[in-house]
Amino acid sequence: MIMHIDMNAFFAGVEQSVNPALRGKPIGVIGSGKRTVVTTASYEARAFGVRTGMTVYEAHKLCPQIILVVGNNQRYTDTCTKLVELYHSYTPLVEVYSIDECFLDMVGAKKNIEELRPVALAIKKAIVSRFKLTCSIGIAPNKLVAKLASDMEKPDGLVLIRPADIPRVMERLPVEDLCGIGRKMREHLFYMGITTCGELARTPVERLKKRFGVVGEYLHHMALGEDTSPVVTVDQTPADKSVGHSMTIDHDVADRDEMETCLLQLSEKVGRRMRKNHFTGRTVALTVRYTDFTSFTKRKSIPEFLYNGYDIYLVAREILLGTDLKMPVRLLGVSVANLAQDVLQLPLLEDEQKKIKATDALDAINNKYGEFTVTRARLLEQYEHAGVIAPSWKPAGVKRVEFGM
DNA sequence: TCTGGGGTCCTAGGACCC
DNA sequence: TCTGGGGTCCTAGGACCC
């Protein structure tokens, strides 16, 4: 009794709903940087072949009249939060799978899965009237099949798959339509002569296990449309495992000094977000993407718990200093893992306590007057860049904060 | 006018400890 | 003479998701 709700062209839909002049027009939501891509194309733009991931140049070539709108993540997270509230009036069991997708466990709501159809129609109607947005809803006995069902009719779809329908639906379904099978897995399966779920289901499990290990077993069940994974509500969601930011720079960078400034800025953003969620972390990872798009990540763990942007930066810089770069870089990323929550409540050295107080004071100012209102002199020149980085997509209040250790 | 940003999970090898 | 077994932690890299 699972419902999967997938918002149609979510970011574009929100922009069209906020700005009536964009309704019915081909629009593309993009980032604010120079090297940006289309994040979401409205259905009007998709009719011209515009797709997610295309460059602005490509989108323009396919659709000269396309209106490009710089995305506003706050709007999308706010809308997501309100949508989740709406879903909660139907069931307490809501999983926020991504900013535009939710799973609803409707068990107990109705006796027969057929009875969920009018419920889904009511939800769709409520979303249209409150948000001027459409969605596709899939109803099925489990999450895997519900997600497949929501994908079958777009936009504004409603597909119900009964238990008895599953074998028929799976038989001819391409394997890559399953959530969890990407390009590489599809290629592997192709060379084994497997392209549909029907073929995958008939492949001996032993052969799959030999080839893919633990995943093999999983593949077999997926191919049969079997899935026992539960809907995970917000308070059951495990705490985050890493916090990071990355940035594609407007130009290719060979200058180490410029790279370091960029790392400092990314590190400050990471520290800010960690402190907001009461995280500290012990492992810093540096990601570098070269101009030829090859990339690598290097990590370094330290004994101390990091929460301060500058301290994170020092570790990231140390990694960079120990790295031979083969060519100029286009992207840099900093992330912190090995997270713990509320370690800072432990008794600390006096210097550490002073640092926490200073950091708290800076946070208070930046909370009140905006990010980077007070910052390091080195970052003043970079201020423009600060707005380029998208905030976390997670809707407000979704993240669970654990107190105590 | 070349190609975003934020994550999770898994594997595999090496260091180190008992 | 010829080198065990179990465990944790760390790092690198890849596949996948939105």
Side-chain angles (χ1 to χ4, degrees), chain A residues 51-70:
Chain A
R51 295 288 179 269
T52 293
M54 282 183 178
T55 61
V56 166
Y57 171 72
E58 287 172 304
H60 242 115
K61 207 162 57 181
L62 287 166
C63 178
Q65 68 271 46
I66 192 168
I67 303 167
L68 297 170
V69 182
V70 174

Side-chain angles (χ1 to χ4, degrees), chain A residues 149-271:
Chain A
S150 70
D151 223 24
M152 288 176 175
E153 265 182 34
K154 285 188 171 179
D156 201 18
L158 173 55
V159 174
L160 188 153
I161 299 179
R162 299 160 198 81
D165 298 333
I166 293 178
R168 179 181 51 79
V169 170
M170 301 309 291
E171 180 58 34
R172 308 189 71 168
L173 191 81
V175 286
E176 66 267 26
D177 285 6
L178 291 170
C179 188
I181 297 189
R183 189 174 57 87
K184 290 287 178 181
M185 183 60 81
R186 188 201 47 160
E187 282 171 17
H188 274 121
L189 293 171
F190 178 82
Y191 289 116
M192 292 173 77
I194 302 164
T195 57
T196 66
C197 290
E199 288 160 354
L200 183 56
R202 283 187 291 276
T203 306
V205 190
E206 286 313 313
R207 195 174 163 217
L208 295 174
K209 277 207 238 176
K210 211 171 166 185
R211 182 81 194 253
F212 303 110
V214 200
V215 183
E217 180 105 24
Y218 207 67
L219 285 175
H220 178 74
H221 290 292
M222 286 165 69
L224 288 167
E226 293 172 1
D227 172 28
T228 55
S229 66
V231 165
V232 180
T233 60
V234 171
D235 43 299
Q236 295 169 331
T237 306
D240 288 347
K241 301 232 159 59
S242 66
V243 176
H245 282 289
S246 63
M247 170 165 75
T248 294
I249 305 150
D250 279 353
H251 54 281
D252 296 331
V253 179
D255 177 38
R256 292 253 176 182
D257 202 58
E258 193 178 344
M259 290 180 204
E260 287 182 10
T261 306
C262 185
L263 289 187
L264 176 56
Q265 186 191 324
L266 291 165
S267 301
E268 290 285 5
K269 290 208 75 108
V270 172

Side-chain angles (χ1 to χ4, degrees), chain A residues 71-351:
Chain A
N72 179 335
N73 291 61
Q74 190 61 52
R75 275 211 266 271
Y76 314 143
T77 52
D78 287 350
T79 307
C80 176
T81 304
K82 288 178 192 158
L83 284 166
V84 173
E85 280 169 22
L86 170 67
Y87 304 152
H88 273 128
S89 65
Y90 291 88
T91 174
L93 303 178
V94 177
E95 176 174 343
V96 184
Y97 186 69
S98 77
I99 195 164
D100 64 346
E101 287 179 43
C102 283
F103 288 100
L104 278 59
D105 189 334
M106 307 297 282
V107 72
K110 302 284 172 190
K111 285 188 180 140
N112 190 316
I113 200 165
E114 299 282 351
E115 295 175 58
L116 289 183
R117 192 186 289 275
V119 180
L121 286 170
I123 292 175
K124 285 165 73 77
K125 201 175 161 190
I127 293 176
V128 169
S129 73
R130 289 196 211 172
F131 304 99
K132 297 184 173 61
L133 295 171
T134 64
C135 62
S136 291
I137 299 186
I139 303 167
N142 62 52
K143 285 166 71 176
L144 180 86
V145 181
K147 189 156 162 61
L148 287 174
S150 70
D151 223 24
M152 288 176 175
E153 265 182 34
K154 285 188 171 179
D156 201 18
L158 173 55
V159 174
L160 188 153
I161 299 179
R162 299 160 198 81
D165 298 333
I166 293 178
R168 179 181 51 79
V169 170
M170 301 309 291
E171 180 58 34
R172 308 189 71 168
L173 191 81
V175 286
E176 66 267 26
D177 285 6
L178 291 170
C179 188
I181 297 189
R183 189 174 57 87
K184 290 287 178 181
M185 183 60 81
R186 188 201 47 160
E187 282 171 17
H188 274 121
L189 293 171
F190 178 82
Y191 289 116
M192 292 173 77
I194 302 164
T195 57
T196 66
C197 290
E199 288 160 354
L200 183 56
R202 283 187 291 276
T203 306
V205 190
E206 286 313 313
R207 195 174 163 217
L208 295 174
K209 277 207 238 176
K210 211 171 166 185
R211 182 81 194 253
F212 303 110
V214 200
V215 183
E217 180 105 24
Y218 207 67
L219 285 175
H220 178 74
H221 290 292
M222 286 165 69
L224 288 167
E226 293 172 1
D227 172 28
T228 55
S229 66
V231 165
V232 180
T233 60
V234 171
D235 43 299
Q236 295 169 331
T237 306
D240 288 347
K241 301 232 159 59
S242 66
V243 176
H245 282 289
S246 63
M247 170 165 75
T248 294
I249 305 150
D250 279 353
H251 54 281
D252 296 331
V253 179
D255 177 38
R256 292 253 176 182
D257 202 58
E258 193 178 344
M259 290 180 204
E260 287 182 10
T261 306
C262 185
L263 289 187
L264 176 56
Q265 186 191 324
L266 291 165
S267 301
E268 290 285 5
K269 290 208 75 108
V270 172
R272 278 279 282 163
R273 195 142 62 84
M274 285 174 68
R275 291 193 296 277
K276 267 183 194 161
N277 295 287
H278 310 277
F279 280 127
T280 59
R282 288 184 41 246
T283 305
V284 175
L286 167 75
T287 299
V288 172
R289 178 129 79 213
Y290 289 120
T291 51
D292 73 351
F293 249 71
T294 57
S295 49
F296 66 88
T297 301
K298 279 196 180 190
R299 303 157 166 82
K300 187 172 169 61
S301 296
I302 60 158
E304 294 80 33
F305 290 95
L306 298 166
Y307 61 91
N308 181 291
Y310 194 75
D311 293 333
I312 295 167
Y313 161 71
L314 289 177
V315 181
R317 188 184 66 162
E318 200 184 322
I319 299 172
L320 182 66
L321 286 173
T323 304
D324 262 333
L325 293 173
K326 285 187 288 192
M327 62 181 97
V329 308
R330 59 145 44 225
L331 171 141
L332 287 171
V334 174
S335 79
V336 176
N338 240 317
L339 301 180
Q341 276 183 317
D342 298 306
V343 173
L344 297 184
Q345 289 172 0
L346 296 171
L348 296 162
L349 297 174
E350 195 182 336
D351 278 359

